Amino acid sequence: MFRISILNKFLLRRFLSGVGLVIFVVGGIILAVTFVERLPSNPTALDALLESWMRLLEYIPMFLPPAIFMGTLLASYNMIKSSESVIISSAGRSPYQIARPFFVGAALIGIFTTTVLNPYAVSMNAKKITSSHLKLVDNSIWLRETGDKNYITMNASGGLSHIGDALVFNDVTIYIQDENFKITERVNAANVSLTQSGLQTSNASVWGTDGIIHRRNWQFKTHLTPQTVLDRYLQPDQISFWKLPGFIHKMQSVGVIVRGHQVQFWTLLFLPLTMIAMTVLGVAFSQTRQRRNYNFGAKFALGVLTCFALYFIVNMFNALGATGALPPILAIVAPSLIIIAASGIYIASFDTV
């Protein structure tokens, strides 16, 4: 039966407490700033708090790697300050052996973020989808569907909102063409709702083949559904990790370029490796032979600057993967492996066991 030693449990608690403190502080600051920012635009403080919470969920993947790094530094500093690292080293533990529980904790955080937190964040934010979440063409939403006997083209220049199970498009122009591409109907409306049963609106301006404008309610049965529209237009980070493989396969089958979605999938899949890489980097920066007058502030500041520099390099690799200059999987894995290799060599110089 697999059992974790008391020392490994102690080191794991130290790591999780350090990372947890950093995440709590950074997350609290983001939540507070976002809450104050959103308060004037919401009817109640509770609505503003809920919207701030959803925004925080979007920011977590951005600040989680630096938080893991800073949490590792903090945990290591506390152990050095209390002389616990000296006691553990004197018991025959090498720096690598001491850091192994840290790596396990980082991997668990990455797995939880990918498999639980990401789907939860996507599901929460999907309830309030707006145009800011979509990839637009000419700042407008364009939809086109080919039927058996007609074609429908819709342009929504005013964006959309997600209300219940329906998508509501604003400032809409719809063209309906026959099999010879002749326009048989044109519809202008302030807003058009898309539900499972099709498109519908009230008080629309409808031009027929007779050239006369009619003001009336209008509806049109279509194969489009709110989900198919969102699948077509949502950005990669608006799709759950569990749905990304099927979405990528479906889009590839119709010839749509999905490099951005592939980068997002590999980023989430290898997030545990990224967390381990940031932990290894933190362990490397925390190594010291000084037991007194340990200048934690200088090392912490240098480490943070290095961490953010690496963060920009990782984003550069992501951009290369999204543009096709590098294979997406290589663009995601390569930076983490480089960080682990470079930091591991430095840690090995302190390994006397």
Side-chain angles (χ1 to χ4, degrees):
M1 182 178 179
F2 177 75
R3 291 185 178 180
I4 303 177
S5 67
I6 295 176
L7 180 56
N8 285 336
K9 289 181 181 178
F10 167 78
L11 292 171
L12 184 59
R13 283 198 302 269
R14 279 291 196 179
F15 172 77
L16 294 178
S17 62
V19 172
L21 179 61
V22 173
I23 292 177
F24 178 79
V25 172
V26 176
I29 293 174
I30 294 175
L31 185 65
V33 171
T34 308
F35 174 72
V36 173
E37 191 179 78
R38 301 288 175 176
L39 195 58
S41 59
N42 284 275
T44 65
L46 184 60
D47 291 332
L49 183 61
L50 180 60
E51 187 173 352
S52 302
W53 169 250
M54 290 190 293
R55 295 295 294 175
L56 176 62
L57 293 176
E58 293 181 3
Y59 290 135
I60 284 179
M62 297 174 58
F63 72 77
L64 190 57
I68 293 290
F69 170 79
M70 290 185 283
T72 303
L73 276 182
L74 183 61
S76 300
Y77 169 71
N78 288 333
M79 291 174 60
I80 293 173
K81 184 179 179 182
S82 61
S83 298
E84 291 168 342
S85 61
V86 178
I87 298 171
I88 296 173
S89 297
S90 63
R93 287 264 182 152
S94 67
Y96 166 72
Q97 291 172 323
I98 294 173
R100 275 189 300 187
F102 290 10
F103 303 154
V104 172
L108 291 175
I109 292 174
I111 293 171
F112 175 80
T113 302
T114 295
T115 59
V116 178
L117 192 59
N118 170 261
Y120 171 72
V122 170
S123 64
M124 287 291 293
N125 285 285
K127 297 177 181 178
K128 289 193 175 182
I129 291 291
T130 63
S131 299
S132 62
H133 298 93
L134 307 180
K135 288 183 175 180
L136 306 182
V137 179
D138 297 331
N139 294 320
S140 297
I141 298 172
W142 288 87
L143 296 177
R144 182 173 175 83
E145 183 185 77
T146 302
D148 296 333
K149 296 182 179 180
N150 53 38
Y151 302 88
I152 179 171
T153 304
M154 184 176 76
N155 170 251
S157 58
L160 66 78
S161 57
H162 201 175
I163 301 177
D165 295 329
L167 292 179
V168 179
F169 301 88
N170 302 312
D171 296 331
V172 178
T173 302
I174 299 174
Y175 301 95
I176 299 177
Q177 300 166 281
D178 60 19
E179 60 271 18
N180 297 318
F181 299 101
K182 180 181 179 181
I183 295 178
T184 59
E185 196 172 60
R186 172 184 166 183
V187 180
N188 282 86
N191 53 72
V192 174
S193 299
L194 174 63
T195 63
Q196 296 293 334
S197 58
L199 296 165
Q200 54 189 0
T201 183
S202 58
N203 197 26
S205 300
V206 181
W207 281 264
T209 54
D210 54 6
I212 300 175
I213 302 176
H214 303 275
R215 302 288 296 185
R216 59 180 176 86
N217 296 339
W218 180 87
Q219 60 182 5
F220 189 87
K221 287 189 176 295
T222 175
H223 296 298
L224 291 172
T225 65
Q227 190 57 49
T228 57
V229 172
L230 293 179
D231 284 348
R232 184 181 302 179
Y233 281 92
L234 279 179
Q235 299 179 12
D237 58 357
Q238 295 296 321
I239 302 175
S240 167
F241 167 75
W242 299 110
K243 294 181 179 179
L244 270 171
F247 176 85
I248 291 172
H249 177 73
K250 182 172 64 176
M251 292 296 103
Q252 286 178 329
S253 65
V254 295
V256 177
I257 298 175
V258 288
R259 283 193 292 264
H261 297 82
Q262 290 176 329
V263 168
Q264 175 70 3
F265 174 71
W266 293 119
T267 298
L268 292 173
L269 184 64
F270 286 101
L271 188 60
L273 180 65
T274 304
M275 300 297 100
I276 292 174
M278 301 311 295
T279 304
V280 175
L281 183 65
V283 171
F285 267 91
S286 65
Q287 296 302 307
T288 180
R289 291 187 171 90
Q290 289 179 280
R291 302 305 173 193
R292 295 182 180 180
N293 302 321
Y294 176 57
N295 192 350
F296 174 74
K299 276 223 170 188
F300 186 83
L302 180 61
V304 170
L305 290 176
T306 304
C307 180
F308 280 105
L310 290 174
Y311 180 76
F312 285 114
I313 293 175
V314 169
N315 283 342
M316 182 185 69
F317 271 82
N318 289 352
L320 292 175
T323 57
L326 284 176
I329 185 172
L330 179 62
I332 299 304
V333 174
S336 297
L337 294 180
I338 292 172
I339 293 172
I340 291 174
S343 302
I345 292 172
Y346 181 75
I347 294 173
S349 66
F350 288 83
D351 195 342
T352 56
V353 177

